[in-house]
Amino acid sequence: DGDEGTLNDLCREAAEWIKEADFFLFSTGAGWSADSGLPVYKDIADFALYKDLNLTYYDVSQPHWLRSKPEMFYGFWGGNFNNYRNTIHHEGYEIVNSWRVKYFSKISPIEPIQSEEWMKELVHKQWSNFKEHKERHYDPCLLDREHPETELPALQFFNYTSNVDAHSLRVFPKNEVFQIHGNTETWQCNTFTNVLSRKNYDHVQCEKNGTWNLPDSFRFEINPDLTAPPTQSNPSLPLTDNWPKCIHCNQQYARPAVLMFEDFDQFPNYCEECRYMDWRKNVREMISNHWQSDRPLRIVILEIGCGKTVQAVRGQSKSWLRSLPPGSCKLIRINPDFPEIEVDPDEDIPSNCLLSIKSRGLKSVQLMNPFLNQSSH
């Protein structure tokens, strides 16, 4: 972290940007989870087993190990699964959620009786696209019937995250979260092959594609050498196997529905992706259409802990900046190692819409919080 006085001033400015915005995109990467004590990319495979085999995180996090060395595959993903489930998420999640509630929950998707017409317009757009996608694309088995908010469209807030620990789902409404790489709570049959993939397999495909969650009490048994033995505490219940089987065919091994490296088999996160794409399209349209009006609309992006190893989240932030009228989108990037925001000279992106903070995410959010609780939006 840099100078405390400077950091406090930067966090004050970031808080003002959030208070002034109409839409809030909260983008998070591994650095955000690191404040809960979880490893970042460079540390997640930093163990003797993988070093002895000369394997990096990129190498270990590939689905082919499930076919060739399931004991290593379940040792790696089972260990991560246990770690994510056992870890208590840090208070930054609740702090940001309090901002969502205070500043970005002004609109009801059910009864949008607001004084500002743009709010009614947003609700109409979101419901129209949402119903269309639900009728045409959504797989009913993906909808969470215990959480009816998953069937409501998002409005002023979205959490776009590359983290696979599912901690965002503990705090934010499920209809306002897009886990772009999936999460380890969601499991699928190993034989699912993405219809967009050109890769052909000779193994039998599972007749029913779909995902499920492992029981809340389940944890993998992991050996000291980080492998997972094929124990079966109850062979009649495939969900309790240390090498779990698909709940549909009970023949093939199961795997987390996480997008790994060199992965052609992940069951796509259709529901969350459709909700986010609808929201992004409509918010961009509304900001562009209203920018020259008496009531211009603005979005702020708070990006935390997104490094350069996997740059999907950083790229998404840049995409928003490039697609909107200059000045309508502001980006706050918080990162202890790579806070810089690179902009091409020929891009019309005002420098006063870019804020770099060289710090950890949790500390910055804690410093921002008092300023966001001083007055109403």
Side-chain angles (χ1 to χ4, degrees):
D1 294 330
D3 177 76
E4 289 297 325
T6 302
L7 179 59
N8 198 59
D9 291 340
L10 290 172
C11 289
R12 180 197 297 269
E13 184 175 4
E16 291 301 319
W17 285 13
I18 292 173
K19 286 197 290 186
E20 294 168 357
D22 301 292
F23 303 100
F24 182 19
L25 177 61
F26 181 48
S27 301
T28 54
W32 179 244
S33 292
D35 282 320
S36 298
L38 295 173
V40 294
Y41 293 122
K42 66 182 180 66
D43 300 322
I44 199 167
D46 188 19
F47 296 101
L49 169 66
Y50 310 127
K51 289 180 178 179
D52 291 345
L53 296 173
N54 198 28
L55 297 175
T56 64
Y57 171 62
Y58 174 86
D59 300 318
V60 177
S61 183
Q62 294 190 22
H64 71 81
W65 295 111
L66 181 53
R67 290 182 284 274
S68 60
K69 290 188 176 182
E71 69 279 3
M72 191 169 81
F73 179 89
Y74 287 119
F76 178 74
W77 286 107
N80 289 331
F81 173 90
N82 292 352
N83 196 18
Y84 297 155
R85 275 203 168 180
N86 294 335
T87 297
I88 299 174
H89 60 276
H90 61 76
E91 69 167 345
Y93 287 87
E94 272 76 17
I95 291 175
V96 174
N97 190 51
S98 72
W99 305 343
R100 180 194 68 82
V101 172
K102 183 174 183 179
Y103 295 100
F104 302 99
S105 297
K106 302 290 186 181
I107 314 173
S108 166
I110 306 300
E111 298 179 356
I113 307 175
Q114 281 78 25
S115 58
E116 296 194 69
E117 289 300 318
W118 72 267
M119 296 183 177
K120 299 177 184 178
E121 180 185 351
L122 175 64
V123 172
H124 174 73
K125 283 177 173 289
Q126 279 292 85
W127 269 118
S128 297
N129 286 122
F130 178 80
K131 291 176 180 178
E132 177 183 353
H133 278 297
K134 183 178 178 182
E135 291 170 359
R136 295 184 181 183
H137 302 295
Y138 283 9
D139 184 337
C141 72
L142 293 180
L143 295 176
D144 189 345
R145 298 300 178 183
E146 295 181 0
H147 299 275
E149 75 272 14
T150 61
E151 300 189 51
L152 295 176
L155 295 174
Q156 291 178 274
F157 172 88
F158 227 106
N159 175 212
Y160 183 93
T161 182
S162 61
N163 295 329
V164 299
D165 51 35
H167 288 185
S168 287
L169 297 181
R170 298 178 181 179
V171 180
F172 304 121
K174 294 178 183 294
N175 64 313
E176 298 178 356
V177 175
F178 180 22
Q179 302 160 106
I180 64 172
H181 297 151
N183 67 61
T184 57
E185 288 292 320
T186 308
W187 287 67
Q188 64 170 83
C189 186
N190 184 47
T191 62
F192 172 76
T193 299
N194 192 325
V195 295
L196 299 178
S197 170
R198 298 179 181 177
K199 192 167 184 178
N200 296 316
Y201 292 112
D202 57 6
H203 56 234
V204 177
Q205 299 293 299
C206 182
E207 293 183 359
K208 182 179 179 181
N209 291 319
T211 60
W212 65 92
N213 289 354
L214 298 178
D216 291 342
S217 60
F218 180 80
R219 299 293 185 276
F220 284 88
E221 179 185 342
I222 308 297
N223 290 327
D225 65 357
L226 300 185
T227 61
T231 56
Q232 294 185 347
S233 56
N234 188 340
S236 66
L237 295 174
L239 289 180
T240 65
D241 291 356
N242 211 44
W243 294 5
K245 295 287 185 66
C246 171
I247 66 169
H248 302 305
C249 66
N250 199 24
Q251 298 295 320
Q252 304 293 332
Y253 288 132
R255 50 159 284 184
V258 168
L259 181 61
M260 307 174 193
F261 295 108
E262 303 297 328
D263 191 358
F264 299 92
D265 293 341
Q266 185 219 16
F267 194 90
N269 197 355
Y270 287 127
C271 287
E272 292 184 4
E273 182 177 12
C274 284
R275 281 193 289 265
Y276 175 73
M277 296 301 288
D278 284 347
W279 184 79
R280 186 179 70 171
K281 171 180 176 291
N282 290 328
V283 169
R284 284 179 173 178
E285 283 184 1
M286 292 192 62
I287 291 176
S288 297
N289 294 340
H290 285 256
W291 188 239
Q292 299 298 328
S293 70
D294 295 335
R295 177 62 171 89
L297 302 175
R298 295 175 172 83
I299 184 171
V300 63
I301 304 171
L302 177 61
E303 179 196 291
I304 299 181
C306 306
K308 294 187 174 182
T309 304
V310 178
Q311 299 198 38
V313 180
R314 293 171 75 100
Q316 185 67 196
S317 300
K318 183 65 72 70
S319 173
W320 278 91
L321 287 169
R322 289 171 173 166
S323 66
L324 291 172
S328 64
C329 177
K330 293 187 174 183
L331 170 60
I332 305 161
R333 173 168 290 162
I334 301 175
N335 193 296
D337 302 311
F338 308 105
E340 301 81 11
I341 303 175
E342 302 84 3
V343 177
D344 296 333
D346 59 342
E347 291 181 316
D348 191 10
I349 300 176
S351 59
N352 62 357
C353 291
L354 308 175
L355 185 62
S356 299
I357 301 178
K358 186 178 177 63
S359 179
R360 298 289 292 253
L362 175 58
K363 181 176 183 179
S364 299
V365 164
Q366 290 169 330
L367 289 173
M368 293 162 63
N369 194 42
F371 302 118
L372 280 155
N373 283 320
Q374 284 182 346
S375 60
S376 300
H377 189 45

